[in-house]
């Protein structure tokens, strides 16, 4: 499966990718604040460095220097572990996402992904499910009613939308005839980008991703204008920062997954730019997320649940069934 | 009832905003002119002949709802004449951390000795620095600047001013 790639190349790649994802996260926050600002006729951050470009670094320094308090009644080990779980799963999920075709460097073959796993898609969703534990444990271990209720709300939302998320990619799996993300991308490069035949699946996936990363208009877990912060009420400093990082990294990872599944990963419509196409597509998707945040007001909780179970789930199911029938009929 | 078309219109609105110039006023670089009756930090005034207007009557201190003014009066003598009246304020202090800028002191003063100026940047790192003594309050006579360009003020003119 690793095409004769020595193990230490994977390790180096993992180091590079983790840092690149963290950098992308930092500048996603900058991009979000800047775009939101301009959409609301404000400037956004413009004080730290030119165009506020040093703002993420300033934020990081501020968060790290803050006191790492925790509540007297909190379960210490779990309270500390929760943000780490959230962060770890968010970062680990990027391992299976292919970003290039692979290169020949000197006399080593370097793959265009960190781990070429034959069940990459399932691994990704499994990691996402483990990530929910970060929210559950964090809220419960804080020993605060706000946190507990917030984590219950978060779990209900994440678990509901995970169903639609997994079902919506079933069509892609059937068309790509593989759970391996590299093969799915190659299939798209050879035939057609899957967002054309799988338009319904793509839309369901997109909505589910917004809910899964708890971004507006599905940001009920935080609902910053209505409630106390939710499951991370009792967190401060860099521990809170880890939760926030996990959320943004999840957004980037799931955008990258959407690019992989529906927009042919590193393949471009023309010019073989490889990873640049991948980065460009992820950037466009992230910008669309931010655009949605600026445009749509938050849903009510019952609307959220109704949308998840009564709209997304049936559409995803019907889409999967029709795709299955068509695939069988074609062969 | 969901209205998908209106939601799409909303997306168009936010997208159009991207190409407009932000309306933010960049504060430390651009300071918005204050209103004519703006109540900023206090000033004590002097007559043209150099005598203080304040006669140390403590009416301002009595009127102050926040109790932030302290006046200690002393008699004027022929060799030490400070104010135009019988007495003068030997100590005149305003605790700016307590002041609520209501302007009652200005109303209570029988000699127009104290007025509220246009200055609003009075933050300090220490609370002690917020106690303004008489010398600080006397510093320089304020210059009331009339509104140059009424369009700068985005609040509408009240109904009673246009219909009376």
């Amino acid at each position: 499966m690793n095409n004769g790639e020595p193990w230490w190349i994977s390790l180096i790649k993992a180091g590079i990718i983790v840092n690149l994802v963290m950098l992308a996260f930092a500048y996603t926050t900058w991009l979000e604040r800047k775009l939101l600002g301009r959409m609301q006729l404000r400037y956004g951050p413009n004080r730290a460095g030119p165009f506020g470009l040093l703002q993420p670094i300033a934020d990081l320094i501020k968060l790290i220097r803050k006191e790492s308090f925790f509540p007297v009644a909190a379960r210490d080990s779990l309270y500390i572990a929760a943000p780490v779980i959230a962060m770890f799963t968010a970062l680990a999920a990027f391992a299976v996402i292919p970003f290039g075709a692979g290169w020949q460097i000197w006399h080593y073959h370097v793959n265009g992904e960190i781990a070429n796993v034959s069940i990459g898609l399932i691994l990704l969703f499994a990691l996402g499910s483990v990530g929910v534990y970060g929210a559950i444990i964090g809220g419960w271990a804080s020993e605060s009613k706000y946190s507990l209720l917030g984590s219950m709300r978060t779990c209900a939302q994440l678990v509901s939308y995970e169903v639609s998320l997994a079902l919506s990619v079933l069509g892609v799996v059937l068309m790509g005839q593989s759970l391996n993300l590299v093969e799915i991308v190659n299939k798209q490069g050879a035939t057609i980008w899957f967002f054309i035949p799988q338009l319904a699946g793509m839309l369901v996936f997109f909505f589910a991703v917004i809910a899964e990363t708890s971004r507006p208009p599905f940001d009920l877990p935080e609902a910053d204008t209505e409630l106390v912060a939710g499951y991370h009420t009792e967190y401060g400093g860099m521990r809170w920062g880890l939760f926030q990082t996990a959320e943004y990294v999840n957004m980037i990872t799931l955008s990258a997954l959407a690019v992989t599944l529906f927009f042919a990963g590193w393949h471009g419509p023309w010019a073989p730019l490889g990873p640049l196409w991948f980065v460009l597509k992820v950037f466009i998707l992230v910008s669309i997320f931010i655009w949605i945040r600026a445009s749509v007001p938050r849903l009510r909780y019952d609307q959220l649940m109704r949308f998840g179970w009564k709209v997304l789930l049936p559409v995803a199911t019907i889409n999967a069934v029709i795709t299955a029938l068509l695939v069988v009929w074609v062969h | 009832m969901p209205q998908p078309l209106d939601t799409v219109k909303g997306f168009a609105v936010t997208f159009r905003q991207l190409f407009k110039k932000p309306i933010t006023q960049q504060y430390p670089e651009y300071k918005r002119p204050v209103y004519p009756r703006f109540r900023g930090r206090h000033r004590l005034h002097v007559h043209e002949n150099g005598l203080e207007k304040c006669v140390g009557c403590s009416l301002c201190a009595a009127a102050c709802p926040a109790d932030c003014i302290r006046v200690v009066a002393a008699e004027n003598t022929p060799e030490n004449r400070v104010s135009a009246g019988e007495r003068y304020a030997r100590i005149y202090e305003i605790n700016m951390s307590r002041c609520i800028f209501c302007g009652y002191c200005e109303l209570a003063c029988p000699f127009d000795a104290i007025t509220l100026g246009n200055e609003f940047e009075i933050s300090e790192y220490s609370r002690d620095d917020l106690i303004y003594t008489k010398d600080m309050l006397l510093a320089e006579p304020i210059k009331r600047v009339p509104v140059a360009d009424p369009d700068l003020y985005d609040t509408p003119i009240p109904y009673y001013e246009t219909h009376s």
Side-chain angles (χ1 to χ4, degrees):
Chain A
M1 262 307 180
N2 61 2
N3 295 333
E5 182 191 72
W7 61 270
W8 51 268
I9 286 187
S10 295
L11 208 64
I12 294 169
K13 266 193 305 189
I16 295 171
I17 290 297
V18 162
N19 282 299
L20 279 183
V21 170
M22 290 302 281
L23 193 74
F25 145 70
Y27 281 92
T28 304
T29 62
W30 175 84
L31 179 75
E32 169 155 50
R33 292 170 65 179
K34 209 74 187 167
L35 270 184
L36 273 182
R38 291 308 295 258
M39 283 176 176
Q40 295 161 358
L41 294 182
R42 298 183 284 112
Y43 284 104
N46 66 351
R47 293 291 149 144
F51 305 107
L53 273 171
L54 297 177
Q55 189 67 43
I57 294 152
D59 287 341
L60 178 76
I61 292 169
K62 176 224 171 196
L63 281 177
I64 285 180
R65 287 184 63 226
K66 276 182 93 167
E67 182 192 356
S68 289
F69 67 92
F70 55 92
V72 179
R75 308 268 191 284
D76 300 9
S77 50
L78 290 178
Y79 179 83
I80 293 167
V84 178
I85 293 171
M87 185 70 203
F88 169 75
T89 53
L91 276 178
F94 216 91
V96 292
I97 288 175
F99 47 84
W103 304 271
Q104 196 74 34
I105 295 175
W106 201 26
H107 52 265
Y108 292 109
H109 182 77
V110 178
N111 287 336
E113 66 284 323
I114 296 169
N116 191 350
V117 184
S118 54
I119 51 159
L121 199 55
I122 291 179
L123 180 74
L124 222 150
F125 284 133
L127 280 170
S129 306
V130 175
V132 180
Y133 279 104
I136 302 178
I137 294 175
W140 177 71
S142 297
E143 200 68 46
S144 151
K145 285 175 184 64
Y146 292 116
S147 298
L148 188 60
L149 290 171
S151 74
M152 279 165 66
R153 208 169 58 222
T154 309
C155 296
Q157 174 178 333
L158 295 194
V159 170
S160 302
Y161 278 80
E162 226 162 43
V163 182
S164 314
L165 190 72
L167 266 176
S168 65
V169 300
L170 215 53
V172 172
V173 174
L174 287 165
M175 289 189 74
Q177 298 183 341
S178 171
L179 284 165
N180 185 327
L181 294 174
V182 182
E183 278 173 34
I184 290 175
V185 170
N186 283 331
K187 187 101 175 177
Q188 288 181 82
T191 56
I192 186 173
W193 291 15
F194 284 164
F195 80 93
I196 299 167
Q198 286 292 320
L199 192 64
M202 197 266 290
L203 286 175
V204 171
F205 183 81
F206 199 68
F207 286 127
V209 164
I210 302 174
E212 200 62 15
T213 52
S214 59
R215 300 220 9 114
F218 302 105
D219 62 338
L220 274 297
E222 267 125 79
D224 29 23
T225 44
E226 297 168 18
L227 302 156
V228 190
Y231 64 89
H232 52 56
T233 306
E234 302 291 344
Y235 281 89
M238 203 53 214
R239 289 194 191 121
W240 173 84
L242 282 181
F243 272 129
Q244 208 64 10
T245 313
E247 201 176 282
Y248 276 91
V249 171
N250 263 329
M251 178 171 89
I252 295 169
T253 308
L254 285 172
S255 299
L257 182 65
V259 167
T260 307
L261 292 177
F262 296 102
F263 299 99
W266 69 84
H267 292 287
W270 65 91
L273 293 173
L276 277 182
W277 276 118
F278 178 78
V279 171
L280 182 73
K281 288 175 195 167
V282 171
F283 170 76
I284 291 172
L285 272 185
V286 167
S287 303
I288 291 175
F289 277 126
I290 296 167
W291 187 16
I292 290 173
R293 175 171 180 180
S295 308
V296 188
R298 186 179 303 122
L299 266 67
R300 231 172 34 227
Y301 200 76
D302 61 315
Q303 291 171 331
L304 173 93
M305 282 299 159
R306 195 169 47 207
F307 186 65
W309 289 107
K310 292 190 179 170
V311 179
L312 288 191
L313 190 59
V315 171
T317 315
I318 292 167
N319 179 53
V321 169
I322 290 176
T323 312
L325 289 175
L326 284 178
V327 167
V328 170
W329 184 64
V330 165
H331 287 268
Chain B
M1 193 56 208
Q3 292 160 317
L5 251 177
D6 291 358
T7 308
V8 173
K9 267 190 210 162
F11 277 94
V13 169
T14 43
F15 193 71
R16 244 181 287 128
Q17 303 274 1
L18 268 182
F19 305 103
K20 289 187 187 162
K21 196 177 153 41
I23 56 167
T24 313
Q25 295 172 341
Q26 297 285 303
Y27 161 62
E29 290 90 43
Y30 171 77
K31 290 188 180 105
R32 212 180 127 168
V34 296
Y35 283 76
R37 293 179 65 182
F38 181 83
R39 299 194 296 263
R41 86 140 161 109
H42 310 70
R43 298 281 191 190
L44 282 176
H45 297 284
V46 289
H47 288 293
E48 274 135 33
N49 58 9
L51 292 177
E52 287 171 17
K53 285 187 177 179
C54 179
V55 296
C57 68
S58 299
L59 279 176
C60 47
C64 183
D67 201 13
C68 66
I69 305 180
R70 175 166 167 251
V71 185
V72 178
E75 295 286 334
N76 279 318
T77 53
E79 53 273 14
N80 180 29
R81 172 154 288 277
V82 181
S83 81
E86 211 170 281
R87 303 200 297 167
Y88 71 99
R90 184 167 62 82
I91 295 172
Y92 195 103
E93 281 175 8
I94 298 181
N95 186 347
M96 287 295 174
S97 59
R98 294 198 60 145
C99 178
I100 59 169
F101 299 96
C102 62
Y104 284 6
C105 46
E106 193 176 6
L107 292 178
C109 185
F111 292 100
D112 286 342
I114 185 167
T115 56
L116 273 68
N118 291 346
E119 228 174 279
F120 54 89
E121 290 162 316
I122 49 177
S123 314
E124 295 286 351
Y125 284 104
S126 159
R127 282 178 201 179
D128 295 346
D129 293 345
L130 279 166
I131 295 172
Y132 278 57
T133 54
K134 197 170 108 181
D135 291 337
M136 295 160 80
L137 293 165
L138 273 169
E140 65 192 272
I142 69 154
K143 203 174 83 199
R144 292 271 189 197
V145 182
V147 183
D149 183 6
D151 295 336
L152 284 175
Y153 305 101
D154 46 6
T155 41
I157 296 162
Y159 181 83
Y160 60 83
E161 281 191 12
T162 51
H163 294 79
S164 62

